Amino acid sequence: MKYFIPVSEAKKIIESQIFRTEKITVSLLEAQGFFTSEPIFATLDVPSFNNSAMDGYGFRFDDLADFSELKVMHIIPAGVSKNNFELGRGEAVRIFTGAKIPDGVDTVIMQEKVTRIEDRIQFNGNEILKGENIRLKGSQTRLGTKIIEENTFINHAVIGFLSGFGIDKIAVYNKIKIGLLYTGNELVESGKPLLDGEIYNSNSYTLQSALAEINHGFSFINHVEDTEEATFSAIKKSLETIDVLLITGGISVGDYDYVKPALEKSGVSELFYKIRQKPGKPLYFGKLDKKMIFALPGNPASVFSCYHQYIKPFLLGCFGRKDFEEEKDFAISESFAKKKNKDQTQFLKACYSKGKVRILNAQESYKMDSAAQANCFVEFPEKATEINIGEKVTIWRV
């Protein structure tokens, strides 16, 4: 059991538990937002034939030495697969972008660089290079070449690229089955009136929308009553059906915090409990067989920070992502007067732009107005006790 450990150690423990989800095959359009589970190889040469890069005229380059003008004999639009003619000496073809280059043509000149009089073209003195404006077969990709690595995130650019090879199905890592339990008798759902002493539930909304951004969702979301029996029952039942269980609230040491003892009673092995960080000190990470459990404190800012620092990297790692690099060398643009204990890491909500970072006000764990403005966290690391204007810092994008 690891207790009250540094951030770096917590991240190493979490990273050591990353598992790959099962491989499934989906249609190309369904693959949006997934990660590839195996390399993808070119199914054909691209381009698959020599074609024109311009609307213009195609001809034999060597004819320029003997002819001052060329006679246009044929028209070749895109999409014509066969050209049943043989280009004669002193002849040219009218050709359009993407059209197949016929036998005998080795050069294309764009239409703006010639003068056409009836069926003849004259060149306007521009330098002409042999082979110009022709896209050669396989000049982008050769048949059998690896075109996409395993663990590649699939976005619209990847989909468009693969569709150019006629690929309609690909292998990806499946989504993770995730459940959410949130505790707190004081929590009320949005849209309902508040009684004295109650607050609106925000954590489940934060986490639902956060998962949607990484192409995931919860298998279930349950509000758990703050009793020992209800907490144990909810955890026990949840662990029967999911890969990852998230719990918010009830993980500290108060009289109504039943999550940790309920996890122990359920047979969950504790991998660590509490991190030397702010916000989110009482973060819990454990496992039962191959099922992983994150128990987060209930403060909304703690949930927001812990999700981005620990849960999101873990989930994306299981889903197929490989790299989780922080970004360095961003300079603090304004004075930040806060000091801290040297044994603690803080994650400060901030905004970055053009190499500069502005640390926001309202960093307390119950305040979410700064989270709504932030596009990154500044890591205020262990051993550091203050941050000054112009200082280079590490950021984590939100």
Side-chain angles (χ1 to χ4, degrees), residues 155-174:
N155 59 15
H156 63 282
V158 173
I159 288 174
F161 175 59
L162 293 177
S163 66
F165 292 88
I167 294 171
D168 63 343
K169 295 182 184 299
I170 59 174
V172 298
Y173 288 107
N174 201 4

Side-chain angles (χ1 to χ4, degrees), residues 2 17-18 49 57 61 63 69 92 122 153 227 248 271-272 312 326 339 387:
K2 300 284 187 177
Q17 297 300 318
I18 288 176
F49 52 87
Y57 296 89
F61 181 80
D63 284 358
E69 61 180 19
Q122 298 173 349
F153 178 69
T227 68
T248 65
L271 298 177
F272 68 72
K312 180 180 178 180
E326 73 275 22
K339 295 186 178 182
I387 298 178

Side-chain angles (χ1 to χ4, degrees), residues 171-398:
V172 298
Y173 288 107
N174 201 4
K175 295 181 182 181
I176 304 161
K177 295 178 181 177
I178 311 168
L180 173 63
L181 303 176
Y182 65 98
T183 70
N185 290 342
E186 74 279 14
L187 298 179
V188 176
E189 296 307 310
S190 296
K192 296 182 179 179
L194 287 179
L195 300 178
D196 192 32
E198 295 179 333
I199 60 174
Y200 283 117
N201 162 42
S202 65
N203 287 335
S204 71
Y205 293 88
T206 297
L207 292 172
Q208 284 181 80
S209 55
L211 287 189
E213 290 178 355
I214 60 169
N215 197 26
H216 275 74
F218 287 112
S219 298
F220 59 80
I221 301 172
N222 292 327
H223 186 186
V224 181
E225 183 183 356
D226 283 331
T227 68
E228 185 176 357
E229 181 180 354
T231 305
F232 170 71
S233 176
I235 290 174
K236 188 73 172 176
K237 183 177 179 180
S238 298
L239 291 172
E240 295 173 358
T241 59
I242 49 80
D243 300 315
V244 177
L245 178 62
L246 306 184
I247 306 171
T248 65
I251 192 57
S252 194
V253 290
D255 291 345
Y256 294 94
D257 291 325
Y258 299 110
V259 169
K260 191 171 184 295
L263 289 168
E264 293 172 353
K265 187 177 177 181
S266 300
V268 174
S269 298
E270 179 181 313
L271 298 177
F272 68 72
Y273 175 53
K274 294 190 176 180
I275 303 177
R276 296 204 294 268
Q277 69 175 11
K278 185 178 181 180
K281 178 179 74 174
L283 178 66
Y284 173 102
F285 182 55
K287 68 184 297 185
L288 177 64
D289 299 323
K290 294 183 179 181
K291 302 174 186 293
M292 309 307 302
I293 299 92
F294 291 88
L296 291 71
N299 282 320
S302 298
V303 170
F304 180 69
S305 178
C306 288
Y307 169 79
H308 283 284
Q309 290 298 316
Y310 305 104
I311 298 171
K312 180 180 178 180
F314 176 82
L315 296 178
L316 284 176
C318 296
F319 196 35
R321 184 170 174 177
K322 291 190 299 184
D323 56 321
F324 295 94
E325 294 295 326
E326 73 275 22
E327 298 187 38
K328 299 182 179 180
D329 294 335
F330 279 71
I332 295 297
S333 61
E334 298 177 6
S335 178
F336 184 71
K338 190 175 183 65
K339 295 186 178 182
K340 70 169 181 62
N341 186 303
K342 68 178 181 178
D343 294 326
Q344 181 190 68
T345 296
Q346 288 189 10
F347 293 103
L348 305 169
K349 295 177 285 294
C351 287
Y352 72 88
S353 177
K354 299 179 180 179
K356 299 288 186 180
V357 177
R358 178 172 58 90
I359 297 174
L360 300 169
N361 294 320
Q363 295 290 335
E364 292 87 351
S365 60
Y366 71 95
K367 293 182 177 179
M368 285 295 284
D369 50 341
S370 54
Q373 303 170 48
N375 60 13
C376 70
F377 290 100
V378 168
E379 184 171 334
F380 194 175
E382 284 188 64
K383 299 181 181 179
T385 58
E386 59 183 317
I387 298 178
N388 300 306
I389 296 176
E391 184 172 341
K392 301 292 188 179
V393 294
T394 295
I395 71 166
W396 301 87
R397 295 177 188 258
V398 173

Side-chain angles (χ1 to χ4, degrees), residues 131-170:
E132 69 179 352
N133 297 322
I134 293 180
R135 302 165 178 156
L136 296 177
K137 178 180 179 179
S139 58
Q140 174 195 285
T141 311
R142 289 289 186 184
L143 171 67
T145 303
K146 185 190 292 186
I147 53 175
I148 294 290
E149 298 283 351
E150 182 184 351
N151 307 111
T152 296
F153 178 69
I154 304 165
N155 59 15
H156 63 282
V158 173
I159 288 174
F161 175 59
L162 293 177
S163 66
F165 292 88
I167 294 171
D168 63 343
K169 295 182 184 299
I170 59 174

Side-chain angles (χ1 to χ4, degrees), residues 28-46:
L28 189 59
L29 285 177
E30 290 176 323
Q32 173 80 38
F34 284 78
F35 288 82
T36 56
S37 60
E38 58 188 40
I40 300 175
F41 297 87
T43 54
L44 71 164
D45 292 321
V46 175

Side-chain angles (χ1 to χ4, degrees), residues 29-137:
L29 285 177
E30 290 176 323
Q32 173 80 38
F34 284 78
F35 288 82
T36 56
S37 60
E38 58 188 40
I40 300 175
F41 297 87
T43 54
L44 71 164
D45 292 321
V46 175
S48 56
F49 52 87
N50 294 346
N51 69 83
S52 178
M54 296 283 178
D55 291 346
Y57 296 89
F59 54 92
R60 185 182 292 104
F61 181 80
D62 289 345
D63 284 358
L64 298 182
D66 301 318
F67 298 89
S68 60
E69 61 180 19
L70 302 176
K71 184 176 182 180
V72 180
M73 298 296 295
H74 307 279
I75 298 176
I76 307 176
V80 174
S81 60
K82 293 183 179 180
N83 297 303
N84 297 317
F85 62 85
E86 183 176 342
L87 190 68
R89 293 267 295 154
E91 295 179 349
V93 296
R94 178 75 165 111
I95 195 165
F96 294 88
T97 304
K100 185 177 181 180
I101 299 294
D103 292 340
V105 171
D106 60 16
T107 305
V108 173
I109 189 168
M110 61 192 302
Q111 60 191 17
E112 293 86 352
K113 291 186 177 182
V114 301
T115 299
R116 180 164 179 173
I117 302 173
E118 296 182 350
D119 64 348
R120 296 185 177 273
I121 57 170
Q122 298 173 349
F123 300 91
N124 297 334
N126 298 288
E127 182 183 8
I128 301 171
L129 301 175
K130 185 175 182 177
E132 69 179 352
N133 297 322
I134 293 180
R135 302 165 178 156
L136 296 177
K137 178 180 179 179

